[in-house]
Amino acid sequence: MSPTAEVSNNLNAGAIPTVTATAPRRAVFPFTAIVGQEEMKLALLLNVIDPKIGGVMIMGDRGTGKSTTIRALTDLLPEIEVVADDPFNSHPTDPDLMSDEVRDRTLHHGTMPIARKKVQMVDLPLGATEDRVCGTIDIEKALSEGVKAFEPGLLAKANRGILYVDEVNLLDDHLVDVLLDSAASGWNTVEREGISIRHPAKFILIGSGNPEEGELRPQLLDRFGMHAEIRTVKDPNLRVEIVEQRSSFDQDPPEFLAKYQHQQDDMQQKLVEAQERLKSVNLDRDLRVKISQVCAELDVDGLRGDLVTNRAAKAYAALECRTEVTVDDIRKVMTLCLRHRLRKDPLESIDSGYKVTKVFDRVFGLETTEG
């Protein structure tokens, strides 16, 4: 199996044949050229290595490169194998990743025509309706012709890809519920007038927003696997470096991309190997007990915090080319996994990230670090 096949497997795909030629696409700023914002980049990479982590909520100032980074990540991923002309990006051999129609056709006709396409990044606009997101059923055609006439929505397009919702904190709570339910179950079901249609909807959900414009309800925020906070860079030298990078890219995209092609290839290969290594990564039970102890002492509701921290620590170890999770791996991811799950105390000024770190250090027997 080729390395490209393994990356697509992580996005719920499988083996991939020889790469076919694709139409030229517009230039995208390379992921490896992005300066700073390490917390956001780490959260995104870990979700690519293990999509079961549950997505990322990115909160931060305007103009800090959130959309640029997410598009760059999508462009970094290789092509996946899909059933040709299927609107749901169905996998040609994995029944769990096929629409019901494709599964039936496979049973009756055997092999399906195969195409290759880049991993999709779907932008969900704020004004989107539920029909636009989930898809619609043509009731008149269904009744008159006896066929299930379905118009796929954004969830169908995002299957086996990335669904990005900018300003998710301004999105209608009902739609956020729909997105999170689909992301968790991997399926989207549309029912109208007694007619029901479902299709696979397995995607990495990434939300972003500005905290000044309001927070998500805690019940919804808890459903995101990780929470990254990004702030405007204050270091003048770093700001200049960021501006220079962007200016160089805008002036001559092909030359800039060529400069970073080797690093892009290395990063893609690193993700491929991490995804394969993830299957054999071990997290010692003693460390798992301590993770749960931290969650308990922080009064985290439910068990999502425990589960996500376990998954993220394994993904980080895999990214670092190891098969055994260390205490440092857990330290790297725990704040990202827990800070948004803490109960908000209006009288408490302490930063949630510092609070997580403080409890972590005590439980793991480490010296207290400064926040």
Side-chain angles (χ1 to χ4, degrees):
M1 184 183 291
S2 69
T4 302
E6 289 301 331
V7 171
S8 56
N9 181 55
N10 178 67
L11 286 176
N12 303 305
I16 292 182
T18 306
V19 176
T20 54
T22 55
R25 296 173 295 110
R26 68 180 181 84
V28 176
F29 194 87
F31 187 84
T32 52
I34 295 172
V35 178
Q37 308 301 5
E38 300 303 323
E39 189 172 286
M40 171 173 59
K41 291 191 290 187
L42 176 61
L44 292 172
L45 289 174
L46 295 183
N47 270 270
V48 168
I49 293 169
D50 185 2
K52 291 181 181 178
I53 287 173
V56 189
M57 178 65 189
I58 303 168
M59 295 297 281
D61 303 328
R62 292 180 293 272
T64 47
K66 296 187 288 289
S67 299
T68 298
T69 304
I70 295 160
R71 287 187 173 83
L73 175 73
T74 308
D75 190 65
L76 180 67
L77 303 176
E79 294 176 327
I80 58 173
E81 187 182 37
V82 301
V83 173
D85 300 322
D86 178 67
F88 310 114
N89 301 322
S90 291
H91 194 284
T93 58
D94 187 346
D96 290 336
L97 300 172
M98 294 179 182
S99 66
D100 292 339
E101 181 186 350
V102 168
R103 190 182 295 108
D104 291 341
R105 286 164 55 194
T106 303
L107 289 173
H108 291 93
H109 304 290
T111 57
M112 305 290 295
I114 297 172
R116 292 185 45 124
K117 65 193 299 186
K118 282 293 288 180
V119 171
Q120 293 266 30
M121 181 190 122
V122 176
D123 273 298
L124 192 147
L126 275 181
T129 62
E130 185 175 349
D131 284 349
R132 177 77 180 97
V133 174
C134 299
T136 57
I137 298 174
D138 188 335
I139 300 297
E140 184 177 346
K141 186 173 183 180
L143 295 176
S144 62
E145 301 180 21
V147 295
K148 292 183 178 180
F150 180 64
E151 182 65 33
L154 295 177
L155 293 181
K157 188 177 180 183
N159 185 40
R160 297 172 65 202
I162 293 174
L163 182 62
Y164 175 50
V165 189
D166 193 13
E167 297 183 314
V168 66
N169 47 333
L170 302 181
L171 193 66
D172 181 76
D173 281 349
H174 172 63
L175 279 182
V176 177
D177 271 327
V178 169
L179 297 179
L180 291 168
D181 286 341
S182 294
S185 68
W187 290 89
N188 173 48
T189 303
V190 181
E191 295 181 340
R192 298 287 188 277
E193 306 296 334
I195 298 173
S196 177
I197 292 178
R198 71 166 197 159
H199 65 79
K202 296 189 177 181
F203 50 83
I204 298 172
L205 179 62
I206 302 173
S208 67
N210 185 340
E212 295 177 358
E213 296 170 344
E215 293 277 358
L216 271 180
R217 285 191 290 118
Q219 301 95 310
L220 298 178
L221 196 56
D222 176 66
R223 300 275 293 278
F224 282 89
M226 306 182 83
H227 183 284
E229 289 184 357
I230 56 176
R231 293 183 171 84
T232 304
V233 175
K234 301 299 183 185
D235 182 354
N237 292 318
L238 202 55
R239 290 172 75 110
V240 168
E241 184 180 352
I242 294 170
V243 172
E244 288 176 344
Q245 288 280 77
R246 187 71 216 192
S247 297
S248 298
F249 173 76
D250 291 339
Q251 287 173 9
D252 193 342
E255 181 182 344
F256 190 86
L257 292 173
K259 178 182 175 183
Y260 282 90
Q261 190 58 52
H262 181 67
Q263 294 181 42
Q264 289 284 99
D265 292 341
D266 286 348
M267 176 59 77
Q268 187 180 101
Q269 182 65 27
K270 189 175 183 179
L271 287 174
V272 167
E273 294 171 354
Q275 290 161 352
E276 181 61 30
R277 190 178 298 111
L278 181 66
K279 303 170 188 176
S280 55
V281 172
N282 177 59
L283 175 56
D284 187 75
R285 190 175 191 280
D286 181 57
L287 294 180
R288 282 185 273 139
V289 170
K290 288 184 176 180
I291 288 172
S292 291
Q293 185 180 342
V294 172
C295 293
E297 291 197 18
L298 288 169
D299 202 19
V300 174
D301 290 330
L303 295 175
R304 281 201 186 97
D306 308 55
L307 291 168
V308 170
T309 305
N310 277 264
R311 287 190 178 279
K314 287 184 175 182
Y316 186 80
L319 183 65
E320 293 297 305
C321 306
R322 286 181 280 101
T323 56
E324 197 72 32
V325 174
T326 66
V327 172
D328 192 54
D329 296 334
I330 301 169
R331 172 192 284 276
K332 292 282 187 183
V333 304
M334 187 159 251
T335 299
L336 289 166
C337 298
L338 297 183
R339 65 150 64 99
H340 58 304
R341 305 179 197 279
L342 305 187
R343 294 182 180 180
K344 301 294 182 183
D345 184 349
L347 301 178
E348 195 174 60
S349 60
I350 190 170
D351 176 70
S352 59
Y354 173 72
K355 190 174 182 179
V356 173
T357 302
K358 187 177 180 181
V359 174
F360 173 89
D361 288 341
R362 184 171 70 250
V363 170
F364 281 81
L366 305 175
E367 293 183 4
T368 303
T369 58
E370 294 187 4

